[in-house]
Amino acid sequence: MAKPKTEQSSEIMSLFEEHAGSGIGDISPDDLATPRISIIQPMSPQLKKSSPKYIETASVGDLLFTATETAIDGSEGIRFLPAFFDNNYVEWTLREDGGGFVAVHAKDTPLLAQAQRDTFYRDVLTHSDGTRTELQKTNNHYGFAEISGEMQRCVINMTRSQLKISRAWIGAINNTRMNGAKGDFTPPAHSHFYNISTIEEESKKGTYYNYKITQERPLNAEETDLFKEAEEFSKFCLGGGMQNMLPQGETTEKLADQSKPDWA
């Protein structure tokens, strides 16, 4: 690969410096309709031949790109350029009640105070019609994943045991330092590529896979257009652009009296 010209390198460095510290926003909604990167776990439908979501080439621990239902070797991982971060609570019907997505709620949702922690450490809501749902704290990393040689806009939703990985990733972004014309600074989240792969972990419930994230390298002068596109995406998210695309949930109207025990 040819070495970038000096003036081009200076251009992208000045862009990093101009947008120092951006890409770690703090708004409440996430866009679950956006193409996602997730992990194929032992019980994932992509591994079941009877499921319409079955992928013949998929293996446990692989990464899944939902837009094209593409399975990617989890040990090799993908290149990812983060553009924005936020968190919220995603409401799901309990797995034993059929499962399924319900709605997205702001991180300060009043529903959290009405939830009861069950023996599985889940924050459970009981609704007036008897249905039970769970509120899951979710950290959302928006950005661009390299899929089949093309950078694709997507989101990685992290919850449960993945939250520790998310926090470490945010820390790595905030602790990245570069030296520019004005001195030492923290570049924006979308100044560096990261490798997203998977690693096997153990819990009381058995074996599962979690994310492994390592910083690769900063963007070079030939990737200035990608940086600018990521900056626009970051601004769109920061302005709440994804919020209008979300299925919003109820607040308190449909909840049953949470003071009653489960056997009442």
Side-chain angles (χ1 to χ4, degrees):
M1 181 180 292
K3 184 177 180 180
K5 295 181 180 179
T6 303
E7 58 268 21
Q8 291 176 319
S9 298
S10 298
E11 178 187 358
I12 195 165
M13 179 61 78
S14 66
L15 285 172
F16 290 170
E17 200 167 9
E18 178 183 351
H19 301 286
S22 66
I24 302 293
D26 193 24
I27 60 174
S28 59
D30 168 46
D31 178 24
L32 293 179
T34 297
R36 293 186 295 136
I37 297 293
S38 61
I39 300 176
I40 297 176
Q41 301 288 358
M43 298 300 291
S44 294
Q46 287 76 21
L47 302 177
K48 299 178 181 179
K49 291 185 178 181
S50 60
S51 172
K53 295 184 178 181
Y54 175 69
I55 301 176
E56 185 177 0
T57 58
S59 298
V60 64
D62 283 351
L63 294 166
L64 176 69
F65 180 59
T66 63
T68 56
E69 290 296 308
T70 301
I72 302 150
D73 189 336
S75 61
E76 294 183 5
I78 58 170
R79 173 173 286 175
F80 188 85
L81 182 68
F84 190 78
F85 163 82
D86 69 6
N87 55 53
N88 48 35
Y89 281 90
V90 181
E91 185 178 1
W92 303 90
T93 300
L94 294 186
R95 184 185 297 270
E96 58 266 36
D97 290 350
F101 170 76
V102 178
V104 175
H105 303 280
K107 65 180 181 180
D108 58 351
T109 174
L111 293 179
L112 192 60
Q114 302 175 50
Q116 291 186 329
R117 183 68 55 89
D118 70 2
T119 56
F120 298 104
Y121 301 99
R122 301 177 300 185
D123 294 316
V124 177
L125 297 168
T126 301
H127 298 264
S128 58
D129 60 2
T131 60
R132 297 178 301 161
T133 59
E134 176 190 4
L135 293 175
Q136 285 188 10
K137 181 178 180 180
T138 306
N139 285 3
N140 312 296
H141 297 264
Y142 297 91
F144 295 81
E146 186 173 358
I147 308 294
S148 302
E150 298 291 332
M151 299 304 293
Q152 303 281 353
R153 185 178 298 179
C154 62
V155 61
I156 303 176
N157 308 116
M158 296 189 180
T159 189
R160 298 188 183 278
S161 63
Q162 298 167 355
L163 291 175
K164 63 183 179 182
I165 308 300
S166 175
R167 290 191 293 267
W169 190 5
I170 295 168
I173 292 172
N174 284 330
N175 289 328
T176 298
R177 305 294 293 173
M178 300 186 79
N179 192 270
K182 300 177 182 179
D184 196 48
F185 69 99
T186 299
H190 42 287
S191 65
H192 284 69
F193 286 118
Y194 290 80
N195 178 264
I196 312 293
S197 60
T198 65
I199 187 171
E200 188 176 19
E201 294 188 351
E202 296 283 343
S203 72
K204 294 180 180 179
K205 295 182 180 180
T207 299
Y208 68 99
Y209 283 79
N210 209 339
Y211 291 104
K212 178 181 178 182
I213 301 176
T214 55
Q215 191 179 83
E216 281 193 351
R217 64 170 177 82
L219 275 67
N220 58 41
E222 297 175 353
E223 295 156 337
T224 301
D225 286 344
L226 176 60
F227 176 84
K228 292 179 179 179
E229 185 176 359
E231 178 63 24
E232 288 303 311
F233 186 34
S234 177
K235 290 178 180 178
F236 177 74
C237 294
L238 182 61
M242 307 305 282
Q243 184 174 7
N244 296 331
M245 304 167 66
L246 293 171
Q248 300 298 318
E250 303 289 342
T251 52
T252 59
E253 294 85 351
K254 294 177 66 177
L255 292 178
D257 182 3
Q258 294 291 317
S259 63
K260 294 181 180 179
D262 293 339
W263 59 87

